[in-house]
Amino acid sequence: MNGHPAEVGAAAPDFELQDQHGSPVRLSQFRGRRVVLVFYPLAFSGVCHGELAALRDFQADAQLLTVSVDSLFAHRAWADQEGYAFPLLSDFWPHGQVARAYGVFDEAKGFAHRGTFIIDGEGVIRWSVVNPIGEARDVADYLKALADIS
């Protein structure tokens, strides 16, 4: 990983990326709501599949946004195949720009580490965890963190 992950207590870097349908999604459009921002390395990979499958039934009072360097076309195929209704955002070009802004881009491999950031309604990062590429995250941790953040 190059750089340090975005800090808890800092303003979340704003961004605009396309979702799996080609629609623009801007982080700041969710002001007033909590956001769970999940970076993952690549669509269709084993660990990512398990993590996103766990998120498919995510029930929380927060907007879920997932981000990888895959193209929106790969995201669309994956979302259709797996029934993902949440936004899968493409950080394809400029390649990894948003992952870099959050300090989770792996320059050597060309994709993001497993970084998760909970952002409050004011746009401030309130909780984060970054796992190595091969280590899955536990969705229960997100739910506990959300419960702790009013």
Side-chain angles (χ1 to χ4, degrees), residues 89-107:
L89 304 178
S90 176
D91 196 10
F92 183 75
W93 197 257
H95 191 76
Q97 177 177 319
V98 175
R100 278 187 189 91
Y102 281 81
V104 295
F105 191 72
D106 186 316
E107 296 287 346

Side-chain angles (χ1 to χ4, degrees), residues 18-24 72 75-76 79-80 84-88:
Q18 288 185 323
D19 70 9
Q20 66 267 35
H21 304 290
S23 300
L72 70 96
H75 283 159
R76 178 66 184 264
D80 288 352
Y84 300 145
F86 49 83
L88 280 75

Side-chain angles (χ1 to χ4, degrees), residues 23-129:
S23 300
V25 174
R26 179 174 284 281
L27 177 64
S28 57
Q29 80 188 56
F30 299 104
R31 287 288 162 87
R33 283 192 78 186
R34 296 178 301 171
V35 172
V36 178
L37 179 62
V38 177
F39 290 90
Y40 61 96
L42 295 168
F44 296 101
S45 61
V47 176
C48 295
H49 178 266
E51 285 188 323
L52 267 65
L55 291 172
R56 183 174 30 226
D57 301 319
F58 185 73
Q59 296 293 320
D61 181 23
Q63 174 64 51
L64 175 63
L65 300 175
T66 66
V67 180
S68 82
V69 297
D70 295 292
S71 72
L72 70 96
F73 305 106
H75 283 159
R76 178 66 184 264
W78 201 30
D80 288 352
Q81 175 182 304
E82 300 298 329
Y84 300 145
F86 49 83
L88 280 75
L89 304 178
S90 176
D91 196 10
F92 183 75
W93 197 257
H95 191 76
Q97 177 177 319
V98 175
R100 278 187 189 91
Y102 281 81
V104 295
F105 191 72
D106 186 316
E107 296 287 346
K109 293 189 170 118
F111 49 72
H113 284 264
R114 296 180 191 287
T116 304
F117 300 86
I118 295 180
I119 301 161
D120 69 16
E122 302 299 315
V124 175
I125 299 168
R126 298 289 304 275
W127 181 87
S128 71
V129 64

